[in-house]
Structures are given as C-alpha cells and as structure tokens.
Amino acid sequence: MLSGVGRNDSNAWQHFYDRYKVLVYMCGKRYGFSPMDLDDLLSRVMSKCFTSSVGQGGHAILSYDRSKGRFRDYFCRIVSNEAITMLREMKRRREVPTENSDGKEFDIADENAEASMQKEYRMCLLNEAFQQVKRELPSRQIQAFIAVRMDGVSPKRISQMQNVSLATVYNDITAVTDAMRKIVSQLEEE
Amino acid sequence: MCHLSEFQIQELLSGDCGVFAAWMRRRHLKKCTECSKKADCLKRELDEQCRLGKELKAYQKYSNEASATMRLPRE
C-alpha cells in the first residue's frame, strides 16, 4: 500500500485514507476537538503525509524509513504532533478545549497518549481484518459472530434462526475469531 | 470419571444450558482438574472473542461519526 501511495496510485491513496481516517478521528476526539477541528486535523495529517516535506525532497510517506521502526509508530507520531500543534495554536487564540469527548479533562503531555494511540491503531487493524474475513468466510459464520459477539444475541437464538446446532454456532464464531487474529498478526508485521 | 466435552463447557460459559445441567457441570468442574483447566482456557477464549466484538462495535461507532464529520481533504 505504501509503495502504491508513493507512486500516486489513487486506489492505494483511498485504501490509505480509509485505513487511517478513523485513527485520526479517534485521536482528535481524545483531545476534545470539535467536528470542524477534526476535519482540520485530518486535512493537516493527510497534507503532511502527501505534500513535500521541507528538506526531505518528497512525501512524508516516501521519506519513511522502514529500518527505523514500524510505519504505525511513524504515522501515530505525525497525528500526535499535528494534534498538539493545533492545540497550541488554539491555546494562543484561547480556544483550547480542556475536556475530551467523554467530558474528561486531559493533559497535552498525557503519558497514556501513546498507549491510547496504539490501542486505537489496533482497532483499525482489527476492522481491516474483519472486512477481509467478511469477504473470505461464509456469511453464516459472519452473521453468527456479529449477532453473538457484537450485538449480544444469545447463541441459542442464532442456532434457531440459522437452523444449525448450537455447537456449529460456537465453531462459526471461533472460526471468525481465529481468521481475524491471523490477519491482524499479518498486518502487524507489515 | 466422564469428562465434559468442549461443547458442554462452552454451553455452560455462555449460559445456554439448563439450570440443572449447569449445576451438574459446575460441580464436575470443581472436582476435575483436567476439565477445570480446559474451562479456564475456553473462558479466556470467550473473553477474547467478547473483547474483539466490543472493539469492532466501538470502531464502527467511531467510523460512522468520522464519516459524518470528516471529508476528504481537497487536493
């Protein structure tokens, strides 16, 4: 995907945007940004990634050096830096938010920010794995997983609805989970 | 002693078996180390599945909110 982005491939661009948009959103929410500021944060992050960076002679994406660490850490740093820069600019204009979307106060120099960002990144990977699993596994298995583990429907009810045994429902859910775990570990190695 | 099957333990952990069957199985688990270990393992798997489900649900919520508020940056 990153090499595709480097070649200005529009599909790779879209893939990159879809994968990271929500991560930027979650980070912005954590810092208490309004919808307008979230939009601004996304624009700034994407601009940072895709426009020439001074002194490096290319995209931030292209100047990413795999040997220096994982892309996720590199990208998370870009997002955090842009969010903090925006907060500082707001502070100068005395518009800085002091509470996040949950109504909790936050500190710019939050020691847990890095851990929160990693957790949010894992959620993005998990979603990507789930989308892939949805394409690969039978819809019955996916339905069982969504209904039981995401919507809290009892496995017994699903077995009646799908007209399969309860053991099949348990096995279907396990199959979906195993497939997701496998894809997440592959994505994490990328 | 007749051991519990994986399905029987899963049924117990999910609360899908009847009250009497659940009582019998819990009684067995207290006495049988082998089945108890198997149940611990399945409980961890169940918790992991629930965690993944919750995270996906949370992600969907964020994703819907993000789609409603964020647009593609203009080139």
Side-chain angles (χ1 to χ4, degrees), chain A residues 108-151:
Chain A
I108 293 182
D110 184 7
E111 289 170 1
N112 298 322
E114 178 73 24
S116 303
M117 197 89 194
Q118 291 294 332
K119 191 183 164 203
E120 288 156 6
Y121 191 89
R122 277 199 303 275
M123 280 166 78
C124 292
L125 290 188
L126 182 64
N127 177 66
E128 194 158 324
F130 187 52
Q131 300 308 322
Q132 199 174 321
V133 166
K134 268 178 166 175
R135 292 190 292 271
E136 289 170 3
L137 293 187
S139 61
R140 189 199 69 217
Q141 296 187 334
I142 305 297
Q143 275 171 2
F145 180 84
I146 292 174
V148 177
R149 296 290 173 245
M150 290 173 73
D151 297 336

mmCIF file of all heavy atoms in Angstrom, chain A residues 108-151:
data_model
loop_
_atom_site.group_PDB
_atom_site.id
_atom_site.type_symbol
_atom_site.label_atom_id
_atom_site.label_comp_id
_atom_site.label_asym_id
_atom_site.label_seq_id
_atom_site.Cartn_x
_atom_site.Cartn_y
_atom_site.Cartn_z
ATOM 1 N N ILE A 108 -2.155 17.797 27.594
ATOM 2 C CA ILE A 108 -1.460 17.604 26.308
ATOM 3 C C ILE A 108 -0.304 16.628 26.480
ATOM 4 O O ILE A 108 -0.066 15.768 25.643
ATOM 5 C CB ILE A 108 -0.932 18.959 25.757
ATOM 6 C CG1 ILE A 108 -2.107 19.851 25.384
ATOM 7 C CG2 ILE A 108 -0.028 18.745 24.555
ATOM 8 C CD1 ILE A 108 -1.706 21.175 24.785
ATOM 9 N N ALA A 109 0.397 16.767 27.613
ATOM 10 C CA ALA A 109 1.549 15.882 27.850
ATOM 11 C C ALA A 109 1.106 14.602 28.546
ATOM 12 O O ALA A 109 1.719 14.159 29.509
ATOM 13 C CB ALA A 109 2.567 16.617 28.706
ATOM 14 N N ASP A 110 0.006 14.019 28.099
ATOM 15 C CA ASP A 110 -0.522 12.800 28.713
ATOM 16 C C ASP A 110 0.409 11.614 28.442
ATOM 17 O O ASP A 110 0.718 11.320 27.295
ATOM 18 C CB ASP A 110 -1.917 12.529 28.103
ATOM 19 C CG ASP A 110 -2.592 11.331 28.733
ATOM 20 O OD1 ASP A 110 -2.038 10.807 29.708
ATOM 21 O OD2 ASP A 110 -3.659 10.946 28.239
ATOM 22 N N GLU A 111 0.832 10.969 29.534
ATOM 23 C CA GLU A 111 1.758 9.835 29.375
ATOM 24 C C GLU A 111 1.059 8.638 28.726
ATOM 25 O O GLU A 111 1.699 7.773 28.149
ATOM 26 C CB GLU A 111 2.295 9.408 30.742
ATOM 27 C CG GLU A 111 3.256 10.419 31.333
ATOM 28 C CD GLU A 111 3.594 10.112 32.771
ATOM 29 O OE1 GLU A 111 3.097 9.100 33.309
ATOM 30 O OE2 GLU A 111 4.356 10.897 33.357
ATOM 31 N N ASN A 112 -0.279 8.573 28.864
ATOM 32 C CA ASN A 112 -1.002 7.434 28.308
ATOM 33 C C ASN A 112 -1.391 7.640 26.845
ATOM 34 O O ASN A 112 -1.987 6.750 26.252
ATOM 35 C CB ASN A 112 -2.283 7.171 29.117
ATOM 36 C CG ASN A 112 -1.965 6.830 30.548
ATOM 37 O OD1 ASN A 112 -0.979 6.138 30.811
ATOM 38 N ND2 ASN A 112 -2.763 7.331 31.473
ATOM 39 N N ALA A 113 -1.075 8.821 26.298
ATOM 40 C CA ALA A 113 -1.486 9.118 24.921
ATOM 41 C C ALA A 113 -0.928 8.093 23.943
ATOM 42 O O ALA A 113 -1.625 7.637 23.039
ATOM 43 C CB ALA A 113 -1.046 10.520 24.536
ATOM 44 N N GLU A 114 0.324 7.721 24.148
ATOM 45 C CA GLU A 114 0.989 6.757 23.260
ATOM 46 C C GLU A 114 0.250 5.409 23.302
ATOM 47 O O GLU A 114 -0.039 4.817 22.258
ATOM 48 C CB GLU A 114 2.446 6.585 23.713
ATOM 49 C CG GLU A 114 3.258 5.572 22.923
ATOM 50 C CD GLU A 114 3.632 6.048 21.530
ATOM 51 O OE1 GLU A 114 3.683 7.273 21.324
ATOM 52 O OE2 GLU A 114 3.825 5.188 20.662
ATOM 53 N N ALA A 115 -0.076 4.967 24.531
ATOM 54 C CA ALA A 115 -0.782 3.686 24.692
ATOM 55 C C ALA A 115 -2.173 3.765 24.063
ATOM 56 O O ALA A 115 -2.615 2.815 23.407
ATOM 57 C CB ALA A 115 -0.883 3.333 26.170
ATOM 58 N N SER A 116 -2.851 4.914 24.242
ATOM 59 C CA SER A 116 -4.195 5.075 23.659
ATOM 60 C C SER A 116 -4.113 5.020 22.144
ATOM 61 O O SER A 116 -4.940 4.394 21.480
ATOM 62 C CB SER A 116 -4.795 6.419 24.061
ATOM 63 O OG SER A 116 -4.842 6.531 25.440
ATOM 64 N N MET A 117 -3.100 5.666 21.611
ATOM 65 C CA MET A 117 -2.920 5.698 20.153
ATOM 66 C C MET A 117 -2.681 4.276 19.613
ATOM 67 O O MET A 117 -3.215 3.908 18.571
ATOM 68 C CB MET A 117 -1.721 6.593 19.842
ATOM 69 C CG MET A 117 -1.638 7.046 18.456
ATOM 70 S SD MET A 117 -2.542 8.581 18.242
ATOM 71 C CE MET A 117 -2.621 8.647 16.493
ATOM 72 N N GLN A 118 -1.874 3.514 20.330
ATOM 73 C CA GLN A 118 -1.593 2.133 19.901
ATOM 74 C C GLN A 118 -2.869 1.293 19.945
ATOM 75 O O GLN A 118 -3.115 0.473 19.071
ATOM 76 C CB GLN A 118 -0.526 1.490 20.804
ATOM 77 C CG GLN A 118 0.859 2.080 20.658
ATOM 78 C CD GLN A 118 1.476 1.838 19.284
ATOM 79 O OE1 GLN A 118 1.169 0.875 18.613
ATOM 80 N NE2 GLN A 118 2.351 2.748 18.859
ATOM 81 N N LYS A 119 -3.676 1.539 20.980
ATOM 82 C CA LYS A 119 -4.933 0.795 21.112
ATOM 83 C C LYS A 119 -5.855 1.145 19.940
ATOM 84 O O LYS A 119 -6.491 0.271 19.349
ATOM 85 C CB LYS A 119 -5.601 1.161 22.444
ATOM 86 C CG LYS A 119 -6.748 0.268 22.811
ATOM 87 C CD LYS A 119 -7.410 0.703 24.093
ATOM 88 C CE LYS A 119 -8.763 0.022 24.189
ATOM 89 N NZ LYS A 119 -9.689 0.728 25.039
ATOM 90 N N GLU A 120 -5.910 2.429 19.620
ATOM 91 C CA GLU A 120 -6.752 2.879 18.502
ATOM 92 C C GLU A 120 -6.249 2.292 17.183
ATOM 93 O O GLU A 120 -7.037 1.905 16.330
ATOM 94 C CB GLU A 120 -6.760 4.411 18.455
ATOM 95 C CG GLU A 120 -7.570 5.027 19.585
ATOM 96 C CD GLU A 120 -7.180 6.445 19.936
ATOM 97 O OE1 GLU A 120 -6.336 7.033 19.244
ATOM 98 O OE2 GLU A 120 -7.707 6.961 20.921
ATOM 99 N N TYR A 121 -4.936 2.196 17.061
ATOM 100 C CA TYR A 121 -4.364 1.627 15.838
ATOM 101 C C TYR A 121 -4.750 0.146 15.714
ATOM 102 O O TYR A 121 -5.096 -0.334 14.636
ATOM 103 C CB TYR A 121 -2.838 1.770 15.850
ATOM 104 C CG TYR A 121 -2.214 1.445 14.518
ATOM 105 C CD1 TYR A 121 -2.047 2.438 13.558
ATOM 106 C CD2 TYR A 121 -1.829 0.148 14.192
ATOM 107 C CE1 TYR A 121 -1.497 2.143 12.320
ATOM 108 C CE2 TYR A 121 -1.286 -0.154 12.960
ATOM 109 C CZ TYR A 121 -1.119 0.844 12.032
ATOM 110 O OH TYR A 121 -0.586 0.553 10.812
ATOM 111 N N ARG A 122 -4.697 -0.553 16.854
ATOM 112 C CA ARG A 122 -5.071 -1.979 16.837
ATOM 113 C C ARG A 122 -6.534 -2.140 16.412
ATOM 114 O O ARG A 122 -6.892 -3.094 15.727
ATOM 115 C CB ARG A 122 -4.837 -2.615 18.212
ATOM 116 C CG ARG A 122 -3.396 -3.051 18.431
ATOM 117 C CD ARG A 122 -3.288 -4.059 19.568
ATOM 118 N NE ARG A 122 -3.836 -3.553 20.806
ATOM 119 C CZ ARG A 122 -3.161 -2.804 21.674
ATOM 120 N NH1 ARG A 122 -1.918 -2.494 21.436
ATOM 121 N NH2 ARG A 122 -3.733 -2.370 22.781
ATOM 122 N N MET A 123 -7.382 -1.193 16.831
ATOM 123 C CA MET A 123 -8.797 -1.244 16.439
ATOM 124 C C MET A 123 -8.931 -1.099 14.926
ATOM 125 O O MET A 123 -9.767 -1.760 14.301
ATOM 126 C CB MET A 123 -9.592 -0.145 17.153
ATOM 127 C CG MET A 123 -9.947 -0.504 18.573
ATOM 128 S SD MET A 123 -10.518 0.917 19.518
ATOM 129 C CE MET A 123 -12.176 1.089 18.922
ATOM 130 N N CYS A 124 -8.109 -0.239 14.353
ATOM 131 C CA CYS A 124 -8.145 -0.052 12.888
ATOM 132 C C CYS A 124 -7.732 -1.349 12.180
ATOM 133 O O CYS A 124 -8.354 -1.753 11.201
ATOM 134 C CB CYS A 124 -7.211 1.073 12.462
ATOM 135 S SG CYS A 124 -7.757 2.667 12.997
ATOM 136 N N LEU A 125 -6.673 -1.970 12.707
ATOM 137 C CA LEU A 125 -6.210 -3.230 12.100
ATOM 138 C C LEU A 125 -7.272 -4.311 12.231
ATOM 139 O O LEU A 125 -7.525 -5.083 11.308
ATOM 140 C CB LEU A 125 -4.922 -3.714 12.777
ATOM 141 C CG LEU A 125 -3.647 -2.923 12.530
ATOM 142 C CD1 LEU A 125 -2.454 -3.660 13.127
ATOM 143 C CD2 LEU A 125 -3.402 -2.719 11.033
ATOM 144 N N LEU A 126 -7.894 -4.336 13.407
ATOM 145 C CA LEU A 126 -8.929 -5.341 13.659
ATOM 146 C C LEU A 126 -10.076 -5.177 12.668
ATOM 147 O O LEU A 126 -10.568 -6.152 12.098
ATOM 148 C CB LEU A 126 -9.431 -5.205 15.102
ATOM 149 C CG LEU A 126 -10.487 -6.200 15.549
ATOM 150 C CD1 LEU A 126 -9.926 -7.621 15.533
ATOM 151 C CD2 LEU A 126 -10.987 -5.876 16.946
ATOM 152 N N ASN A 127 -10.465 -3.935 12.431
ATOM 153 C CA ASN A 127 -11.544 -3.684 11.484
ATOM 154 C C ASN A 127 -11.145 -4.124 10.079
ATOM 155 O O ASN A 127 -11.939 -4.730 9.364
ATOM 156 C CB ASN A 127 -11.930 -2.203 11.482
ATOM 157 C CG ASN A 127 -12.998 -1.930 10.460
ATOM 158 O OD1 ASN A 127 -14.118 -2.414 10.585
ATOM 159 N ND2 ASN A 127 -12.667 -1.199 9.421
ATOM 160 N N GLU A 128 -9.903 -3.833 9.717
ATOM 161 C CA GLU A 128 -9.451 -4.233 8.388
ATOM 162 C C GLU A 128 -9.478 -5.761 8.257
ATOM 163 O O GLU A 128 -9.902 -6.295 7.226
ATOM 164 C CB GLU A 128 -8.036 -3.710 8.155
ATOM 165 C CG GLU A 128 -7.684 -3.794 6.707
ATOM 166 C CD GLU A 128 -6.569 -2.843 6.338
ATOM 167 O OE1 GLU A 128 -6.521 -1.740 6.901
ATOM 168 O OE2 GLU A 128 -5.758 -3.224 5.496
ATOM 169 N N ALA A 129 -9.043 -6.430 9.325
ATOM 170 C CA ALA A 129 -9.064 -7.900 9.320
ATOM 171 C C ALA A 129 -10.496 -8.401 9.200
ATOM 172 O O ALA A 129 -10.786 -9.346 8.452
ATOM 173 C CB ALA A 129 -8.425 -8.422 10.604
ATOM 174 N N PHE A 130 -11.392 -7.743 9.901
ATOM 175 C CA PHE A 130 -12.801 -8.165 9.878
ATOM 176 C C PHE A 130 -13.391 -8.000 8.474
ATOM 177 O O PHE A 130 -14.121 -8.873 8.003
ATOM 178 C CB PHE A 130 -13.590 -7.347 10.910
ATOM 179 C CG PHE A 130 -15.006 -7.795 11.086
ATOM 180 C CD1 PHE A 130 -15.317 -9.121 11.344
ATOM 181 C CD2 PHE A 130 -16.057 -6.894 11.001
ATOM 182 C CE1 PHE A 130 -16.620 -9.545 11.507
ATOM 183 C CE2 PHE A 130 -17.369 -7.302 11.159
ATOM 184 C CZ PHE A 130 -17.653 -8.626 11.414
ATOM 185 N N GLN A 131 -13.056 -6.894 7.815
ATOM 186 C CA GLN A 131 -13.561 -6.676 6.451
ATOM 187 C C GLN A 131 -13.055 -7.762 5.513
ATOM 188 O O GLN A 131 -13.778 -8.249 4.656
ATOM 189 C CB GLN A 131 -13.139 -5.290 5.913
ATOM 190 C CG GLN A 131 -13.630 -4.107 6.726
ATOM 191 C CD GLN A 131 -15.127 -4.142 6.987
ATOM 192 O OE1 GLN A 131 -15.915 -4.536 6.139
ATOM 193 N NE2 GLN A 131 -15.526 -3.765 8.196
ATOM 194 N N GLN A 132 -11.784 -8.164 5.721
ATOM 195 C CA GLN A 132 -11.199 -9.222 4.878
ATOM 196 C C GLN A 132 -11.871 -10.571 5.159
ATOM 197 O O GLN A 132 -12.206 -11.306 4.237
ATOM 198 C CB GLN A 132 -9.700 -9.310 5.154
ATOM 199 C CG GLN A 132 -8.940 -10.007 4.051
ATOM 200 C CD GLN A 132 -7.449 -9.946 4.269
ATOM 201 O OE1 GLN A 132 -6.914 -8.927 4.721
ATOM 202 N NE2 GLN A 132 -6.754 -11.036 3.979
ATOM 203 N N VAL A 133 -12.091 -10.846 6.452
ATOM 204 C CA VAL A 133 -12.734 -12.105 6.847
ATOM 205 C C VAL A 133 -14.152 -12.178 6.283
ATOM 206 O O VAL A 133 -14.601 -13.227 5.830
ATOM 207 C CB VAL A 133 -12.739 -12.232 8.403
ATOM 208 C CG1 VAL A 133 -13.671 -13.325 8.864
ATOM 209 C CG2 VAL A 133 -11.343 -12.503 8.908
ATOM 210 N N LYS A 134 -14.823 -11.032 6.258
ATOM 211 C CA LYS A 134 -16.189 -10.972 5.719
ATOM 212 C C LYS A 134 -16.229 -11.415 4.263
ATOM 213 O O LYS A 134 -17.196 -12.006 3.805
ATOM 214 C CB LYS A 134 -16.709 -9.536 5.795
ATOM 215 C CG LYS A 134 -17.461 -9.194 7.041
ATOM 216 C CD LYS A 134 -17.833 -7.732 6.904
ATOM 217 C CE LYS A 134 -18.836 -7.262 7.860
ATOM 218 N NZ LYS A 134 -19.043 -5.821 7.725
ATOM 219 N N ARG A 135 -15.156 -11.092 3.533
ATOM 220 C CA ARG A 135 -15.102 -11.471 2.115
ATOM 221 C C ARG A 135 -14.738 -12.943 1.929
ATOM 222 O O ARG A 135 -15.079 -13.551 0.946
ATOM 223 C CB ARG A 135 -14.073 -10.601 1.367
ATOM 224 C CG ARG A 135 -14.471 -9.147 1.237
ATOM 225 C CD ARG A 135 -13.547 -8.410 0.282
ATOM 226 N NE ARG A 135 -12.195 -8.273 0.794
ATOM 227 C CZ ARG A 135 -11.774 -7.251 1.540
ATOM 228 N NH1 ARG A 135 -12.591 -6.288 1.853
ATOM 229 N NH2 ARG A 135 -10.540 -7.194 1.972
ATOM 230 N N GLU A 136 -14.009 -13.488 2.918
ATOM 231 C CA GLU A 136 -13.467 -14.840 2.742
ATOM 232 C C GLU A 136 -14.329 -15.952 3.344
ATOM 233 O O GLU A 136 -14.360 -17.053 2.814
ATOM 234 C CB GLU A 136 -12.061 -14.916 3.356
ATOM 235 C CG GLU A 136 -11.042 -14.139 2.531
ATOM 236 C CD GLU A 136 -9.704 -13.980 3.228
ATOM 237 O OE1 GLU A 136 -9.541 -14.524 4.344
ATOM 238 O OE2 GLU A 136 -8.830 -13.302 2.658
ATOM 239 N N LEU A 137 -14.979 -15.684 4.453
ATOM 240 C CA LEU A 137 -15.719 -16.759 5.141
ATOM 241 C C LEU A 137 -17.205 -16.740 4.766
ATOM 242 O O LEU A 137 -17.725 -15.709 4.346
ATOM 243 C CB LEU A 137 -15.567 -16.618 6.655
ATOM 244 C CG LEU A 137 -14.173 -16.844 7.237
ATOM 245 C CD1 LEU A 137 -14.216 -16.839 8.757
ATOM 246 C CD2 LEU A 137 -13.548 -18.146 6.773
ATOM 247 N N PRO A 138 -17.885 -17.885 4.946
ATOM 248 C CA PRO A 138 -19.318 -17.927 4.619
ATOM 249 C C PRO A 138 -20.123 -16.933 5.455
ATOM 250 O O PRO A 138 -19.775 -16.686 6.620
ATOM 251 C CB PRO A 138 -19.717 -19.364 4.985
ATOM 252 C CG PRO A 138 -18.472 -20.125 5.126
ATOM 253 C CD PRO A 138 -17.379 -19.172 5.438
ATOM 254 N N SER A 139 -21.184 -16.399 4.858
ATOM 255 C CA SER A 139 -21.958 -15.351 5.548
ATOM 256 C C SER A 139 -22.583 -15.871 6.848
ATOM 257 O O SER A 139 -22.776 -15.113 7.789
ATOM 258 C CB SER A 139 -23.025 -14.787 4.620
ATOM 259 O OG SER A 139 -23.898 -15.813 4.252
ATOM 260 N N ARG A 140 -22.878 -17.186 6.896
ATOM 261 C CA ARG A 140 -23.479 -17.740 8.117
ATOM 262 C C ARG A 140 -22.549 -17.537 9.315
ATOM 263 O O ARG A 140 -22.975 -17.147 10.404
ATOM 264 C CB ARG A 140 -23.740 -19.244 7.912
ATOM 265 C CG ARG A 140 -24.548 -19.883 9.023
ATOM 266 C CD ARG A 140 -24.409 -21.386 9.060
ATOM 267 N NE ARG A 140 -23.074 -21.774 9.478
ATOM 268 C CZ ARG A 140 -22.416 -22.830 8.974
ATOM 269 N NH1 ARG A 140 -22.954 -23.566 8.045
ATOM 270 N NH2 ARG A 140 -21.210 -23.111 9.412
ATOM 271 N N GLN A 141 -21.254 -17.768 9.091
ATOM 272 C CA GLN A 141 -20.278 -17.621 10.170
ATOM 273 C C GLN A 141 -20.168 -16.156 10.604
ATOM 274 O O GLN A 141 -20.102 -15.851 11.792
ATOM 275 C CB GLN A 141 -18.913 -18.138 9.714
ATOM 276 C CG GLN A 141 -18.933 -19.628 9.411
ATOM 277 C CD GLN A 141 -17.546 -20.192 9.122
ATOM 278 O OE1 GLN A 141 -16.655 -19.488 8.680
ATOM 279 N NE2 GLN A 141 -17.384 -21.480 9.372
ATOM 280 N N ILE A 142 -20.167 -15.276 9.629
ATOM 281 C CA ILE A 142 -20.062 -13.843 9.925
ATOM 282 C C ILE A 142 -21.289 -13.373 10.703
ATOM 283 O O ILE A 142 -21.178 -12.646 11.696
ATOM 284 C CB ILE A 142 -19.925 -13.015 8.613
ATOM 285 C CG1 ILE A 142 -18.740 -13.509 7.783
ATOM 286 C CG2 ILE A 142 -19.803 -11.522 8.907
ATOM 287 C CD1 ILE A 142 -17.385 -13.371 8.427
ATOM 288 N N GLN A 143 -22.457 -13.824 10.237
ATOM 289 C CA GLN A 143 -23.706 -13.437 10.920
ATOM 290 C C GLN A 143 -23.682 -13.882 12.377
ATOM 291 O O GLN A 143 -24.090 -13.136 13.271
ATOM 292 C CB GLN A 143 -24.905 -14.094 10.236
ATOM 293 C CG GLN A 143 -25.422 -13.320 9.040
ATOM 294 C CD GLN A 143 -26.457 -14.113 8.265
ATOM 295 O OE1 GLN A 143 -26.816 -15.232 8.645
ATOM 296 N NE2 GLN A 143 -26.914 -13.539 7.172
ATOM 297 N N ALA A 144 -23.195 -15.118 12.590
ATOM 298 C CA ALA A 144 -23.140 -15.645 13.966
ATOM 299 C C ALA A 144 -22.240 -14.767 14.825
ATOM 300 O O ALA A 144 -22.593 -14.403 15.952
ATOM 301 C CB ALA A 144 -22.645 -17.090 13.952
ATOM 302 N N PHE A 145 -21.082 -14.402 14.289
ATOM 303 C CA PHE A 145 -20.144 -13.576 15.060
ATOM 304 C C PHE A 145 -20.750 -12.206 15.376
ATOM 305 O O PHE A 145 -20.719 -11.739 16.520
ATOM 306 C CB PHE A 145 -18.817 -13.409 14.310
ATOM 307 C CG PHE A 145 -17.823 -12.575 15.068
ATOM 308 C CD1 PHE A 145 -17.005 -13.142 16.042
ATOM 309 C CD2 PHE A 145 -17.732 -11.201 14.862
ATOM 310 C CE1 PHE A 145 -16.119 -12.362 16.773
ATOM 311 C CE2 PHE A 145 -16.854 -10.421 15.593
ATOM 312 C CZ PHE A 145 -16.039 -11.001 16.541
ATOM 313 N N ILE A 146 -21.309 -11.564 14.349
ATOM 314 C CA ILE A 146 -21.870 -10.212 14.545
ATOM 315 C C ILE A 146 -23.004 -10.253 15.576
ATOM 316 O O ILE A 146 -23.042 -9.448 16.513
ATOM 317 C CB ILE A 146 -22.379 -9.629 13.207
ATOM 318 C CG1 ILE A 146 -21.200 -9.357 12.277
ATOM 319 C CG2 ILE A 146 -23.172 -8.338 13.428
ATOM 320 C CD1 ILE A 146 -21.575 -8.914 10.881
ATOM 321 N N ALA A 147 -23.905 -11.228 15.386
ATOM 322 C CA ALA A 147 -25.074 -11.270 16.272
ATOM 323 C C ALA A 147 -24.668 -11.564 17.718
ATOM 324 O O ALA A 147 -25.104 -10.881 18.645
ATOM 325 C CB ALA A 147 -26.062 -12.319 15.769
ATOM 326 N N VAL A 148 -23.812 -12.574 17.896
ATOM 327 C CA VAL A 148 -23.499 -13.009 19.265
ATOM 328 C C VAL A 148 -22.484 -12.107 19.940
ATOM 329 O O VAL A 148 -22.695 -11.631 21.056
ATOM 330 C CB VAL A 148 -23.016 -14.483 19.268
ATOM 331 C CG1 VAL A 148 -22.612 -14.911 20.675
ATOM 332 C CG2 VAL A 148 -24.110 -15.393 18.733
ATOM 333 N N ARG A 149 -21.362 -11.845 19.268
ATOM 334 C CA ARG A 149 -20.277 -11.109 19.940
ATOM 335 C C ARG A 149 -20.380 -9.596 19.817
ATOM 336 O O ARG A 149 -19.812 -8.880 20.617
ATOM 337 C CB ARG A 149 -18.911 -11.579 19.412
ATOM 338 C CG ARG A 149 -18.608 -13.021 19.725
ATOM 339 C CD ARG A 149 -18.358 -13.260 21.213
ATOM 340 N NE ARG A 149 -18.240 -14.678 21.488
ATOM 341 C CZ ARG A 149 -19.108 -15.349 22.235
ATOM 342 N NH1 ARG A 149 -20.139 -14.742 22.808
ATOM 343 N NH2 ARG A 149 -18.942 -16.648 22.443
ATOM 344 N N MET A 150 -21.092 -9.120 18.811
ATOM 345 C CA MET A 150 -21.189 -7.653 18.669
ATOM 346 C C MET A 150 -22.539 -7.124 19.124
ATOM 347 O O MET A 150 -22.620 -6.045 19.685
ATOM 348 C CB MET A 150 -20.916 -7.245 17.218
ATOM 349 C CG MET A 150 -19.457 -7.451 16.826
ATOM 350 S SD MET A 150 -19.150 -7.170 15.087
ATOM 351 C CE MET A 150 -19.270 -5.409 14.979
ATOM 352 N N ASP A 151 -23.598 -7.884 18.857
ATOM 353 C CA ASP A 151 -24.927 -7.374 19.211
ATOM 354 C C ASP A 151 -25.510 -8.032 20.456
ATOM 355 O O ASP A 151 -26.618 -7.683 20.873
ATOM 356 C CB ASP A 151 -25.892 -7.547 18.022
ATOM 357 C CG ASP A 151 -25.442 -6.729 16.819
ATOM 358 O OD1 ASP A 151 -24.724 -5.730 17.035
ATOM 359 O OD2 ASP A 151 -25.785 -7.074 15.677
#
